[in-house]
Amino acid sequence: MATAFKPLMPLDEAWSVLRAAVEQHVAGPQGQRQTESISSFEALGRVLAETVVSPVDVPPLDNSAMDGYAVRSADLAQAGQAGAAPEAITLPQAQRIAAGQVGAALQAGQCARIFTGAPVPVGADAVVMQEHTTADPGTGTVRFNEPVKAGQNIRRRGEDIAQGLAVLQAGLRLTAAGLGVAASVGRADLTVFKQPRVGILTTGNELVMPGQPLPPGAIYNSNRHTLRGLVQAAGGRAQDLGIVPDQLDATRAALREAAQHNDLVISSGGVSVGEEDHLRNAVVAEGGLDFWALAIKPGKPFVFGWLQRADGSRALYMGLPGNPVASYVTFLLLVRPVLAVLAGEAWALPQSLQLQADFTWPKADKRREFARARLGADGRVTLYPNQGSGVLTSAVWADGLLDLLPGQTVQPGDTVSYLPLAELLQPASGARQA
């Protein structure tokens, strides 16, 4: 039977379809995100399902910003106004206050030795850094060598966080700094969205796992490792489902089983229109297709759809090309935003930088191209010399993707759109919503 070829879908249109589909999926009764409470000590990279409101002031008391001496500024001001010589501006040391201790009230005409983080005693209104003083252990007095202003070197109660302030918003993917904030307001546990379960299938009779002998005509399965790593880096729970033979019945059975236990099923290879490419037909038989074949390079044979579960609910499905770079690029551009929404974040797209090129790109393509690139020492973009979709070493060398629009050529000095891999691979919280 002849294959009906549809026009290639532009990337922007594909993003719109993906956004609508995944947002509808998580909003439905079968697709709503589940939550769990976990230790804040173990929550790095997880997405908050609650807004964290501080029950305390941070810091809880006025405290010293450095090692030095707590004083009443009026005592030193009076000495200065009297026209006394600097060596006469001397106060007895009445007490010593370390971090974690609460000192006694400071009386007029006294000072207190104080250390960074220690509560400022009642009565004191300034801390003088120790470098601006001269202590005399014999007499127990301290001479102050610099002018003093009320409030200097004191961190005020609630200066960082006031009690009742919302410090972390629901939908935020937790960074190390976010965990620190949660701990600073006393949160031992946090309510987060459960990690999306992602089943990974690779297809191809030619694939062999590393460590096994390599027969004639076979290749080692790099996509299995790459996709698992990408899913884990994106915060998903990767379930490796192995290599599926190039057979329609076997492919249908693998998809059917994967759909029962995963929120998203992704595959690599088998989504083109060759006689041995069965995934597209298998997805139609087990669910449905929203689109296939995109106007991008690399990554044209990309499939998006859904798989029916036995209980009537659905799992999402995304079929990636088999060529390693095409699989890698389409994951970053298309799978990553979907996975972020499944994980609890808002839909967002990566932000590009407008930079100068140091290369020539004379031959424009009808499709939107994503070339492996990186920044030179001069801040200009340079290209990997071999842009073939099977050259995975280019993805290791690159620190970004060059976004070339259909028909675009480039000369040295031209402005180009550059997508940093650091942003494509990182949590999507800081990306552009669109």
Side-chain angles (χ1 to χ4, degrees), residues 14-356:
W15 274 329
S16 295
V17 173
L18 289 174
R19 179 178 183 176
V22 69
E23 289 181 344
Q24 182 180 11
H25 179 78
V26 297
Q30 299 290 345
Q32 288 181 343
R33 308 178 185 99
Q34 295 181 327
T35 64
E36 60 183 339
S37 179
I38 65 173
S39 166
S40 57
F41 203 59
E42 303 294 337
L44 182 66
R46 302 297 294 274
V47 179
L48 274 174
E50 61 167 328
T51 293
V52 176
V53 177
S54 177
V56 296
D57 289 322
V58 180
L61 296 169
D62 290 356
N63 68 87
S64 179
M66 57 187 57
D67 296 343
Y69 294 88
V71 299
R72 291 173 175 260
S73 60
D75 288 340
L76 302 185
Q78 290 171 0
Q81 290 170 0
E87 59 269 19
I89 308 176
T90 302
L91 298 175
Q93 178 182 321
Q95 57 183 311
R96 181 180 185 276
I97 310 172
Q101 298 178 341
V102 177
L106 188 67
Q107 303 301 317
Q110 298 179 341
C111 68
R113 181 75 164 115
I114 196 167
F115 296 89
T116 303
V120 175
V122 174
D125 65 353
V127 172
V128 181
M129 61 189 302
Q130 60 189 16
E131 291 85 351
H132 293 167
T133 65
T134 304
D136 186 345
T139 62
T141 60
V142 180
R143 188 180 72 197
F144 295 88
N145 304 320
E146 299 287 341
V148 179
K149 293 182 179 179
Q152 74 179 39
N153 300 323
I154 294 178
R155 293 186 291 224
R156 295 298 183 186
R157 175 178 178 172
E159 178 181 290
D160 184 10
I161 299 170
Q163 183 179 3
L165 179 70
V167 291
L168 299 170
Q169 297 293 329
L172 174 71
R173 193 178 290 269
L174 289 161
T175 62
L179 297 182
V181 169
S184 72
V185 300
R187 290 298 300 268
D189 300 291
L190 295 168
T191 302
V192 297
F193 291 107
K194 287 188 174 181
Q195 295 172 288
R197 301 162 300 172
V198 184
I200 304 170
L201 296 166
T202 49
T203 68
N205 293 333
E206 77 281 9
L207 298 178
V208 174
M209 285 300 291
Q212 298 177 355
L214 193 65
I219 58 173
Y220 286 122
N221 188 354
S222 62
N223 285 346
R224 193 171 178 180
H225 289 68
T226 302
L227 292 177
R228 185 170 184 267
L230 287 169
V231 168
Q232 291 174 328
R237 291 177 54 193
Q239 182 184 10
D240 177 57
L241 302 175
I243 302 172
V244 180
D246 288 328
Q247 300 169 5
L248 181 59
D249 289 345
T251 304
R252 288 189 59 180
L255 291 176
R256 194 180 311 123
E257 177 66 18
Q260 305 309 310
H261 309 290
N262 293 283
D263 305 296
L264 171 66
V265 179
I266 62 176
S267 65
S268 67
V271 291
S272 191
V273 293
E275 293 180 3
E276 299 298 325
D277 295 323
H278 300 294
L279 267 167
R280 194 170 65 87
N281 291 333
V283 173
V284 171
E286 297 297 327
L289 283 180
D290 288 306
F291 65 75
W292 65 281
L294 299 181
I296 62 174
K297 181 182 180 181
K300 171 186 169 184
F302 182 92
V303 172
F304 173 66
W306 51 273
L307 301 169
Q308 191 78 38
R309 297 192 183 113
D311 63 1
S313 63
R314 295 179 175 182
L316 298 179
Y317 169 77
M318 306 182 85
L320 285 62
N323 281 324
V325 174
S327 180
Y328 179 77
V329 169
T330 53
F331 184 99
L332 297 178
L333 296 176
L334 298 155
V335 181
R336 180 67 186 86
V338 168
L339 193 53
V341 175
L342 293 176
E345 295 179 289
W347 174 269
L349 298 176
Q351 293 181 323
S352 63
L353 302 176
Q354 301 302 302
L355 302 173
Q356 279 191 338

